[in-house]
Amino acid sequence: MTALLTLTVLVLVAIAIWQMTKIFELSQTKTENAEIANDSDNKNNGYLLFAFLIFIYGITIFSFAKYSKMLLPEAASEHGGEYDQLMWVSMAIIFFVQTITQALLHYFGYKYRGQKGRKALFFADNDRLEFIWTIIPVIVLAGLILWGLYTWTNIMDINEDDDPLIVELYAQQFNWTARYAGEDNVLGDANVRLIDIGKANVLGLDESDPNAEDDIIVKELHLPVGRKVNIKMRSQDVLHSAYMPHFRAQMNCVPGMITQFSFTPTVTTEEMRLNPDVADKVKRTNALRAEWAAEGKPNSDPWEFDYVLLCNKICGKSHYNMQMKIIVETEEEYNKWLAEQKTFKETVMVDESGEQAFNTEDGEEVALEETTSVE
């Protein structure tokens, strides 16, 4: 903040000096042509163009050197590598073209600056030049678009080959709930009109559908590494967007319809914690939190990396805090965790006796929290 204020003050001082210079020029007696640029003005402006060119290149290099550590680590999904490759190739082409075009733009601005006695010469048309600067972008953009469509088609090829895990993500202001399909791997029918808080049916499952009986409702998403997962998404209230950045996955959750996304996790949570980029980020974050703790500030507890599900649509005042923890683990660990969870039939049938509404990490009752959201 101090650096920003200092920079602001310097900019304002520069503006004030420039305005005072203009006032001084206007106060002189021989200023009839002060607003007409002469050769010296044009030459100075040409040098300023070069200075600005150096500035934009410098700030670009500085940004890469300073803030590259803020980028996401390697993708933790099967399709993520291809997604990242497409992005990096696109960015490389953009920066290559930007570097050349900006250099030419500033160079020609200086070379062909206005000079006394020089008359501008221009071509009304040049078929060869126009063909070159048209066909090259067409070829490059067509290649990127075709590659992008191919990648998108592969990513969005949602099928049930290879026995995928079927999971539903249910979005509402401002939390996520996950529902597993149970032993039959088939989700029971559900509708928001069937939501019954009194019976702990917080997702509106159809109690007459046999497929719903073994569904498992949780507040923490567990995924087995190396197994394909088909995610079906619903929204109770407004438009949300399920965003899992480390898996390079995002899909809107639209009220009144079911959207889908499919991916295969390839890196467990424990393996990602050992990633050098992630370990460095955790170290930097905890160093900052240690400073906060020393100053008595909140949110200063040590942080440990976890995959996370975020909402990437501004869905209301608590949008920023709408997230769910994701744990990627081995098949054995996943099966052990799943066996410990209660099914929809068990939680609904015993709810009248006061047991928990559905599975949570710490077993706390959450029905009251859901009531507020639904009403």
Side-chain angles (χ1 to χ4, degrees):
M1 182 60 70
T2 302
L4 178 62
L5 291 175
T6 302
L7 182 61
T8 303
V9 170
L10 291 175
V11 171
L12 292 175
V13 169
I15 294 174
I17 294 174
W18 177 66
Q19 291 291 343
M20 292 175 63
T21 303
K22 299 296 291 183
I23 293 173
F24 176 77
E25 290 179 353
L26 293 173
S27 67
Q28 303 303 302
T29 56
K30 298 180 180 180
T31 57
E32 295 81 12
N33 298 322
E35 298 300 324
I36 300 177
N38 53 34
D39 288 354
S40 179
D41 294 331
N42 290 330
K43 189 174 182 179
N44 290 335
N45 283 327
Y47 290 143
L48 289 175
L49 280 175
F50 280 121
F52 184 72
L53 179 65
I54 294 173
F55 170 76
I56 60 175
Y57 285 165
I59 198 67
T60 300
I61 295 172
F62 170 80
S63 297
F64 273 109
K66 177 75 173 178
Y67 299 109
S68 291
K69 60 187 178 183
M70 303 298 179
L71 297 175
L72 288 170
E74 63 176 303
S77 62
E78 197 171 81
H79 72 270
E82 187 175 6
Y83 176 96
D84 286 351
Q85 185 180 19
L86 176 60
M87 186 196 74
W88 284 117
V89 170
S90 299
M91 294 301 295
I93 292 174
I94 290 171
F95 274 101
F96 175 76
V97 174
Q98 187 264 357
T99 300
I100 293 178
T101 54
Q102 290 298 319
L104 291 175
L105 175 67
H106 290 76
Y107 170 71
F108 286 128
Y110 172 76
K111 181 178 180 180
Y112 298 106
R113 65 191 181 279
Q115 289 183 341
K116 189 174 183 179
R118 174 186 286 181
K119 184 178 180 180
L121 178 65
F122 67 93
F123 295 96
D125 58 74
N126 187 315
D127 293 340
R128 178 180 296 179
L129 187 61
E130 292 172 4
F131 176 80
I132 291 174
W133 72 40
T134 300
I135 197 64
I136 292 178
V138 166
I139 293 173
V140 173
L141 290 176
L144 288 176
I145 290 171
L146 291 175
W147 186 11
L149 287 174
Y150 174 78
T151 303
W152 173 256
T153 302
N154 288 339
I155 293 175
M156 296 305 297
D157 182 20
I158 302 171
N159 55 64
E160 297 192 2
D161 298 340
D162 305 321
D163 187 30
L165 179 67
I166 307 298
V167 180
E168 178 187 71
L169 289 178
Y170 187 77
Q172 64 183 121
Q173 295 173 314
F174 297 96
N175 64 79
W176 297 96
T177 303
R179 175 164 65 112
Y180 290 81
E183 291 185 5
D184 59 5
N185 207 28
V186 178
L187 289 169
D189 293 335
N191 192 298
V192 293
R193 294 181 177 86
L194 299 178
I195 292 176
D196 188 342
I197 299 301
K199 297 184 66 176
N201 189 358
V202 295
L203 300 189
L205 272 66
D206 186 351
E207 298 178 35
S208 64
D209 184 2
N211 291 325
E213 293 183 359
D214 64 347
D215 287 359
I216 297 173
I217 302 173
V218 296
K219 300 298 287 184
E220 184 176 89
L221 187 60
H222 285 242
L223 301 175
V225 67
R227 184 178 177 185
K228 180 180 177 182
V229 53
N230 287 356
I231 299 180
K232 302 179 184 295
M233 307 174 194
R234 289 193 297 145
S235 173
Q236 177 176 298
D237 34 48
V238 299
L239 185 66
H240 299 277
S241 187
Y243 178 44
M244 293 166 275
H246 298 94
F247 304 108
R248 311 302 193 261
Q250 178 172 329
M251 180 59 65
N252 286 346
C253 306
V254 185
M257 67 181 294
I258 297 175
T259 54
Q260 302 181 78
F261 196 91
S262 178
F263 70 93
T264 303
T266 57
V267 184
T268 67
T269 299
E270 293 298 328
E271 290 172 339
M272 185 59 78
R273 286 172 180 170
L274 298 177
N275 181 288
D277 294 332
V278 174
D280 180 65
K281 181 176 182 179
V282 172
K283 182 179 179 181
R284 288 185 283 108
T285 301
N286 286 334
L288 181 61
R289 290 195 170 199
E291 295 179 5
W292 291 356
E295 298 173 4
K297 294 182 179 180
N299 299 322
S300 56
D301 295 333
W303 174 65
E304 184 176 47
F305 171 84
D306 277 303
Y307 293 122
V308 65
L309 165 65
L310 304 169
C311 178
N312 207 22
K313 284 287 186 291
I314 301 178
C315 57
K317 62 181 181 180
S318 294
H319 154 76
Y320 70 95
N321 201 34
M322 184 173 171
Q323 54 186 281
M324 174 189 278
K325 181 180 178 180
I326 302 175
I327 297 176
V328 179
E329 54 200 353
T330 64
E331 187 80 28
E332 294 75 16
E333 292 171 328
Y334 167 76
N335 290 333
K336 179 182 177 181
W337 170 84
L338 193 65
E340 297 171 350
Q341 310 305 311
K342 293 184 177 180
T343 65
F344 174 70
K345 181 179 180 179
E346 293 172 329
T347 55
V348 169
M349 295 304 179
V350 301
D351 185 59
E352 292 181 359
S353 64
E355 294 196 17
Q356 66 188 74
F358 51 82
N359 301 289
T360 62
E361 184 178 2
D362 54 8
E364 293 181 355
E365 177 66 54
V366 295
L368 292 177
E369 178 180 315
E370 298 293 341
T371 304
T372 305
S373 299
V374 173
E375 292 178 351

